[in-house]
Amino acid sequence: MMASEGIFITGSGILNPLGRGHLSTLRSLKNSVRGIRNINLFEVAADQLMPVANIDTPLKIEDGIPRTHALALAAAQDAMEGHRCTPDAIVIGVTTGGMSKSEVLLNSGVKSPKEFAYHGTGTVATYLAKHFSCHGPVFTISTACSSGTVAIKIALELIRQGKANRVLAGGVDALCWFTYFGFLSLQLLDPKGARPLDRDRAGISLGEGAAMFLIERAKNPPPGSVTQVLGGGISCDAYHPTAPHPTGDGALKAMRDAIADAGIDAADIGYVNLHGTATMDNDASEAMALKRLFGDRIPPLSSTKGMTGHSLGAAGAVEFAICSLSVSEGIIPGNIGCMNLDSSLGILPVLKPESRPVKIAMSNSFGFGGNNASVIIGSVDVRPPDRPEAHPRSLQVTGLACLTGAGDMDASFQKFSQGISIAGTLNNEEISKDLSQRYVRRLKRISRMALALATAAHKNAGGGGKPSSIYFGTGWGPLSETYDFLTKLFESDMRFASPTDFINSVHNAPAGQVAMEFKSTGANMTASGGDYSFEQALWISSLLASEKEALLLFGADEMHKELSPLFDPSVALDTTPSDGGGAIMAIATTKPSGPTVTPLVYVMALKDAGWTIMNDLNISDDINAHYGAIFYGIPLAYEEMARNQLTNFLSHSGFRGPVIDYRKYTGQYAASSAVAVVLAIKTIEKGFLSAGLTGTGEVSLGKNGILVMGFGPYCTAIGIHN
């Protein structure tokens, strides 16, 4: 057992409609300030005008960055103020990325990919990493409204499992046309402003914000720390794309897992910050879960979204900051906006702010796709329980699948192993030929790809037990739905848009479809970090999965003729439009046998990349005794940088085996590394590389593995062994 160490909040920054900084936010909480008002960020027709919670604080917008990036930087600068250290890793929850800028460019007909350089959700974390000189792992979580809370849980596990001592984590989202008109199309905006738990509540008030935290491991509370992260729980409803489980099953599991992870009892919780969106279904589902968890001893609770609005990917982080204030300042915020309590819910919120000591608080976040997360915050004098020393797990492969321009896995591997290109695209009918047409009739390209990959991998695993958790990496998410939603919106002069396209446009929608297909109620993660999204999903699975847990890991990206060349600069440079993905059914374990996949390296590009990679590979002897081949991927947009990194690595490592450029065969798209991992596993099962692939003759692998490496803005390595 490890001696108990605390994981403390040593720096924090919050920017929300109640103000910038803790003092301003605390003052607003004490005075029940309602930050919901008419929108002033963009024009809206009078008959479409709904109250929102936008931030009036002036922002420093430089280098053409979108509003989301400016919000994130402001909060992160406040969190890092007074700290001379550099974060070992960064984890950010976000749903819109640079959409606030991209949608304006698209509506103006701009066609230059350079103008969309900050579109991707992953660009927020990368922007912060460059600003704060973080060279370690950078993760972007896009699980709708639970993104910020999930980011904190992942930061906690990075520290617990020895992958970092100091993590900058949080959530951010800015208001934009896309989300405003999306929720308007769903008729989920309350014209009177959010009224959580009110009997007449009629929906949410959209908000925006950012909250960032410097989280550090220490035996004793570091100077300046006022709270600590005690635990977190993550679950999935696997029930409906948008509606929560009617009896709160998923919410209950997330809360129970968080309490168990923190090593406390439910009775220890002194305050619950509700997800409390003020929709009929969400408030009822959460109330049901709370009653099942606490019985007749429900602690003081409130939703603060009647003050802050619902800031989507930022909401969990903003409410984590409010819980931290509750613990450090002894305040229970009021459930502002509720005028006529809905007695049918059976819970009694704190309606006006109260001063009372709070030693431990819980924050809930429940998002589209049934993605649920809860985190536990404690005062610095709470002693965390001793816990076994934890290590990231490898994935023991039980099933495989991939989709490429050549077809399914067998067709793709047959061509690849002969050194023949598998670039290109399949049509939607080919992708979903083995799926129920009734089920997929409303789904567009990437969700069909996700279901096809998942069902094929499950079948390849023997079709037995289904995965309890789902981990998904996508560089750009559902582009077809995004394009169709915006096109209809622009063509109607901001009057009409498809609610179905909006629902299915969220990055986590494909993983949500897979969870519903398999009834997977464990973690449901979507990582979206450009060319490194699949690698991020793999890393996160190795951190979150429990020993012997069955899971599905997959990556996919779709080719969209209009958006892909604008958003992905490597696609713009390729002559063959391509897309696809790869999927792995696996058992998470620290004692693998058979084919295994292990995340090894994830660092920001450095001049001496070879030395850094070799250091993280932790190989003390000859690399040729461990690996028989390298599959590497180079995004065309970063070709010169990446080839220099590869040359530097080969020089430092002394590797002498075949070195295969997998993007030469798959084509250029973000999730091509997922395909490469599947092809590497198949190659290891075969035992040798053919002459068509090596160009020099057949090469036996013996008992050696294959390194699947990525180069460019980040350097990554995944170990494949048998």
Side-chain angles (χ1 to χ4, degrees), residues 670-705:
S672 59
S673 56
V675 176
V677 167
V678 171
L679 297 175
I681 296 168
K682 292 288 292 180
T683 302
I684 283 183
E685 289 176 346
K686 186 178 177 182
F688 64 91
L689 287 80
S690 67
L693 198 55
T694 65
T696 56
E698 185 175 298
V699 175
S700 172
L701 289 169
K703 295 183 178 179
N704 285 350

Side-chain angles (χ1 to χ4, degrees), residues 6 21 308 438 454 498 576:
T308 63
R438 181 180 178 186
S498 164
T576 304

Side-chain angles (χ1 to χ4, degrees), residues 22 48 52 69 88 91 97 124 127 206 213 233 244 256 276 296 309 312 457 490 492 527 535 665 697:
H22 296 88
Q48 294 181 303
V52 299
H69 298 60
D88 299 327
V91 190
V124 181
Y127 182 70
L206 272 179
F213 310 91
R256 279 179 172 163
D296 58 359
L312 306 179
F490 297 156
S492 65
E535 288 83 345
Y665 299 97

